[in-house]
Amino acid sequence: MDEYMSAPRVWGLMCPGSREEVTRARRWTRDILSNHPCADDAELIVSELGSNALTHTASGSPYGTFQLTLSLSPRTVAISVTDEGGHPEEPRSTEADPDDTHGRGLTIVMALARRLDITGSQHGRTVTAQLVAAPEQAGATTC
């Protein structure tokens, strides 16, 4: 059976469009990445991208959903959140005022991720953040 197993592993989670689902998605991510050096950063990215999908797209409507996908290889974690669309503009980083309580999510994701890809249209977009763990140095790895 091992000959049919690929090195990368992929998990998917469909989340109803409620705020509580972001908490569940974070916990799910933490469980999957329990010993991975990028677990903390991945959990934060899931929170930010999930919250953005609920806030800015039809995913946050009463019957909305968002899809979370984690792809894991020994050093790389790819986190993808797919929304239901409904917003004509592509997500973009903004500069929030110091007193603002919103507007920093994508900036945080961009600071943590090695790479960020946005695909799709107003009918549904996928935002994918890629994290790469640093090679082991003196017995410790970091993301």
Side-chain angles (χ1 to χ4, degrees):
M1 187 64 143
D2 286 341
E3 71 239 37
Y4 298 110
M5 302 291 283
S6 62
R9 294 173 292 172
V10 180
W11 291 266
L13 180 67
M14 181 70 74
C15 298
S18 68
R19 296 283 168 201
E20 296 81 28
E21 290 300 309
V22 174
T23 301
R24 183 171 73 102
R26 285 178 65 126
R27 189 171 45 249
W28 180 80
T29 301
R30 171 64 67 188
D31 289 346
I32 290 170
L33 300 176
S34 62
N35 294 318
H36 197 281
C38 294
D40 291 338
D41 290 348
E43 186 179 1
L44 180 55
I45 288 171
V46 164
S47 182
E48 295 298 337
L49 295 182
S51 294
N52 283 352
L54 294 177
T55 302
H56 301 292
T57 74
S59 293
S61 67
Y63 297 102
T65 62
F66 66 94
Q67 170 84 31
L68 171 60
T69 305
L70 294 178
S71 301
L72 177 64
S73 65
R75 285 189 51 223
T76 304
V77 177
I79 301 136
S80 298
V81 172
T82 302
D83 64 47
E84 291 194 346
H87 196 280
E89 294 180 25
E90 185 173 290
R92 60 184 168 78
S93 177
T94 60
E95 189 171 321
D97 289 329
D99 295 333
D100 289 345
T101 58
H102 297 286
R104 295 177 185 83
L106 204 54
T107 302
I108 292 169
V109 171
M110 292 170 64
L112 295 172
R114 166 83 52 95
R115 178 180 173 152
L116 185 74
D117 293 313
I118 300 170
T119 58
S121 68
Q122 68 182 10
H123 304 293
R125 287 193 174 82
T126 299
V127 179
T128 301
Q130 183 184 52
L131 298 170
V132 179
E136 290 189 36
Q137 297 172 353
T141 58
T142 59
C143 195

